[in-house]
Amino acid sequence: MKLWGGRFTKEEDQAVHAFNESLSFDRRLYRHDIAGSIAHVKMLAKQGIVTDADRDAIIAGLEGILADLEAGRLEFTKEHEDIHSFVEAVLTERIGEAGKRLHTGRSRNDQVALDMKLYCRDQADEIRGLVKELQKVLLSVMEENLETYMPGFTHMQKAQPVTLAHHVGAYFEMFERDRGRLSDLRARLNRCPLGAGALAGTTYPLDREYTARLLGFDGPTFNSMDSVSDRDYLIELLSALSIIAMHLSRFCEEIIIWNSNEYRFVEIDDAYSTGSSIMPQKKNPDIAELIRGKTGRVYGALMALLTTMKGIPLAYNKDMQEDKEMAFDAIDTVKDCLKLFAGMIAAMTFRKDVMAASAKNGFANATDAADYLVNKGVPFRDAHGIVGQLVLRCIDRGIALDDLSLEEFRAVSPAFGEDVYEAIALKTCVEKRTTVGAPGPDAMRQVILSCRERLSEE
Ligand code: ARG
């Protein structure tokens, strides 16, 4: 049944219907659509626009539809264009006349705007929870690895020693900002568009404050044309998801490198790896690669919506129906990625001995050797040159700075003394870095306290 039968004389073409419909994908909004309708009809009755008897019949009908959909007793039938027309048609089929009064003072334009906001609000909360679960996993890795030494890299070259706790802590901070972004956009979206009508409000005496409060909004939106044509909140959500995906992807990239035969810093659990159909020795980091790869479709959803919205004049235009499919896909994708990623980290083995050996063998302590000379009164530029020469000798012989004899140190600079070994030991190099945010275990312990605190705030 069509909602606009009065004005039209021809049956809709099949291909046109298939192209125009959105029920095949906006059906996932059914809970939000029904919640919005229940709030709307409560308000209509309070304002004397429908009778209490009609209100009760409509609410009972809508609750029945919800229960039947949840239980799989009611099917989405193809002839309906979208979730809004579907629910209204089933309602009228079930309760008769009263069902036809539900849409009083409302348009599908403010209805879909409401549904999408309610959906995004729920998703933002759920995703914020998933990010937090991941942060908890990261925090436990941090707590256990305050003294797990590893090389810190710049340009993919070993630079200075850090700890695994410190490296993982960097991602904790990224995800903390992601949670912040989700809270920010949730707070900004929390005004209710219902009552904006098609674009210009309505002549019925609606109480928009009341519906807004019933639905947990801070209040109604302020401009009816903006209310029906705003999708900023969805763009913000997709931006936040894109940044989450980017963070996950970077971490996956590192894990893939760390898991490689050359590095062997970590071993991804069998459950998160796959074998090869031809090469028996292989154990591939598929899950990490897929999470990295799925970043593309999340960015794609953001770019698609930005592009769709850029040429739309006020107010509602059907282009806006294109806000859904890719956004839903991006939301599903990021949720899956967050869950899989947290599981992969929780099950991963960190090879502490390999990490420490790599830090020791990569001259990650060269800066510390130079600083040692500076403390003995050598100007930094000279110290830099002296240690550079020592490094060159070590490379020739395939050894670490720590392996040089005192005579060899002193042959290049007499400023070296017996205490150099202690000064350039991995443990010392890391422990001396005690400023806030540095890898020294004492500094890290302070940060971990703050991480715990930030996770417990709501
Ligand atoms: N399915 C539509 C959408 O997702 C609902 C709004 C339809 N409004 C309209 N005037 N055709 O955007």
Side-chain angles (χ1 to χ4, degrees):
M1 209 232 347
K2 279 284 169 254
L3 299 175
W4 48 84
R7 165 85 169 71
F8 282 69
T9 50
K10 279 193 202 158
E11 280 291 308
E12 191 186 33
D13 181 81
Q14 274 305 309
V16 172
H17 177 80
F19 192 69
N20 195 42
E21 69 87 30
S22 55
L23 183 60
S24 55
F25 48 88
D26 67 14
R27 58 178 60 179
R28 74 160 70 193
L29 301 175
Y30 72 89
R31 286 193 200 102
H32 304 99
D33 196 74
I34 289 173
S37 289
I38 291 177
H40 181 64
V41 77
K42 282 185 181 165
M43 182 276 294
L44 290 179
K46 183 179 87 67
Q47 298 300 94
I49 302 167
V50 300
T51 63
D52 286 358
D54 281 346
R55 173 200 60 200
D56 294 344
I58 290 173
I59 293 177
L62 289 170
E63 283 172 348
I65 293 173
L66 179 64
D68 289 349
L69 285 173
E70 301 277 13
R73 285 190 298 263
L74 175 61
E75 276 184 22
F76 294 102
T77 34
K78 270 207 170 118
E79 75 260 28
H80 302 288
E81 182 185 326
D82 55 27
I83 186 62
H84 326 293
S85 31
F86 170 80
V87 172
E88 196 183 327
V90 177
L91 181 70
T92 305
E93 218 173 84
R94 290 185 175 190
I95 69 166
E97 277 301 294
K100 297 190 202 160
R101 297 189 205 281
L102 168 62
H103 211 52
T104 315
R106 188 174 70 171
S107 155
R108 279 187 300 156
N109 297 351
D110 57 346
Q111 195 179 353
V112 74
L114 171 68
D115 291 6
M116 282 301 278
K117 271 197 168 179
L118 289 173
Y119 177 75
C120 285
R121 198 172 69 180
D122 281 355
Q123 294 303 319
D125 290 344
E126 195 180 325
I127 296 169
R128 216 151 49 91
L130 290 173
V131 173
K132 190 185 208 168
E133 288 309 306
L134 169 57
Q135 285 179 295
K136 286 186 194 160
V137 174
L138 299 185
L139 189 56
S140 65
V141 175
M142 290 163 71
E143 282 163 342
E144 284 161 24
N145 290 285
L146 283 166
E147 294 180 37
T148 303
Y149 305 116
M150 65 181 285
F153 296 83
T154 60
H155 314 273
M156 280 292 284
Q157 310 272 330
K158 291 178 195 175
Q160 291 176 341
V162 294
T163 64
L164 180 59
H166 192 247
H167 196 118
V168 172
Y171 285 96
F172 182 98
E173 296 304 327
M174 294 179 222
F175 293 120
E176 183 68 11
R177 292 193 293 274
D178 288 327
R179 276 201 311 136
R181 266 182 282 275
L182 291 166
S183 311
D184 295 346
L185 73 93
R186 187 209 198 281
R188 202 166 17 256
L189 77 68
N190 208 30
R191 298 207 77 92
C192 184
L194 199 61
L199 75 162
T202 80
T203 55
Y204 297 98
L206 306 187
D207 183 348
R208 295 193 58 210
E209 278 289 344
Y210 180 73
T211 20
R213 257 184 293 118
L214 284 182
L215 292 165
F217 286 101
D218 298 332
T221 48
F222 298 103
N223 180 295
S224 60
M225 291 178 83
D226 177 52
S227 310
V228 291
S229 50
D230 167 33
R231 293 294 181 276
D232 290 3
Y233 57 90
L234 182 55
I235 295 174
E236 287 189 39
L237 178 60
L238 292 176
S239 311
L241 298 191
S242 294
I243 299 175
I244 292 174
M246 179 266 288
H247 291 154
L248 287 173
S249 183
R250 290 181 75 174
F251 208 164
C252 282
E253 169 73 6
E254 299 211 272
I255 288 166
I256 292 162
I257 293 169
W258 291 353
N259 185 65
S260 67
N261 302 140
E262 282 68 25
Y263 275 75
R264 302 183 62 254
F265 281 10
V266 299
E267 189 173 335
I268 298 176
D269 193 70
D270 282 4
Y272 292 87
S273 316
T274 61
S276 157
S277 58
I278 171 169
M279 297 165 281
Q281 83 283 14
K282 293 274 260 184
K283 203 173 111 181
N284 298 325
D286 288 31
I287 300 307
E289 289 171 355
L290 267 177
I291 295 173
R292 184 178 62 182
K294 283 181 190 290
T295 309
R297 60 205 280 174
V298 180
Y299 292 0
L302 172 62
M303 286 307 132
L305 185 57
L306 281 169
T307 312
T308 296
M309 293 304 292
K310 77 180 259 298
I312 302 185
L314 295 182
Y316 180 86
N317 294 263
K318 194 62 175 259
D319 320 39
M320 290 169 73
Q321 181 166 288
E322 284 294 305
D323 65 351
K324 295 185 187 60
E325 281 162 289
M326 291 179 75
F328 292 162
D329 178 78
I331 289 166
D332 295 345
T333 300
V334 168
K335 288 200 291 195
D336 284 348
C337 289
L338 282 166
K339 288 180 209 159
L340 269 289
F341 187 82
M344 179 175 74
I345 297 286
M348 200 156 74
T349 309
F350 295 95
R351 298 180 174 280
K352 305 183 186 194
D353 50 333
V354 180
M355 289 183 177
S358 167
K360 180 167 175 262
N361 295 329
F363 305 105
N365 54 0
T367 314
D368 296 84
D371 289 344
Y372 167 89
L373 289 175
V374 170
N375 279 326
K376 301 277 177 188
V378 180
F380 182 77
R381 269 297 142 229
D382 294 341
H384 187 286
I386 291 165
V387 177
Q389 286 179 47
L390 289 170
V391 166
L392 201 57
R393 290 175 190 206
C394 289
I395 291 173
D396 283 344
R397 292 162 52 196
I399 57 170
L401 280 175
D402 318 52
D403 300 326
L404 292 169
S405 69
L406 187 56
E407 290 67 47
E408 287 166 323
F409 272 116
R410 293 178 63 87
V412 181
S413 168
F416 283 112
E418 186 60 50
D419 54 351
V420 66
Y421 296 103
E422 156 92 58
I424 65 171
L426 266 185
K427 191 173 160 62
T428 327
C429 295
V430 173
E431 269 172 7
K432 276 190 314 202
R433 295 180 145 76
T434 54
T435 49
V436 180
D442 286 339
M444 275 301 298
R445 264 181 215 106
Q446 287 304 113
V447 168
I448 283 177
L449 284 182
S450 125
C451 292
R452 270 201 222 109
E453 223 168 86
R454 286 178 285 163
L455 280 188
S456 67
E457 283 163 13
E458 206 25 70

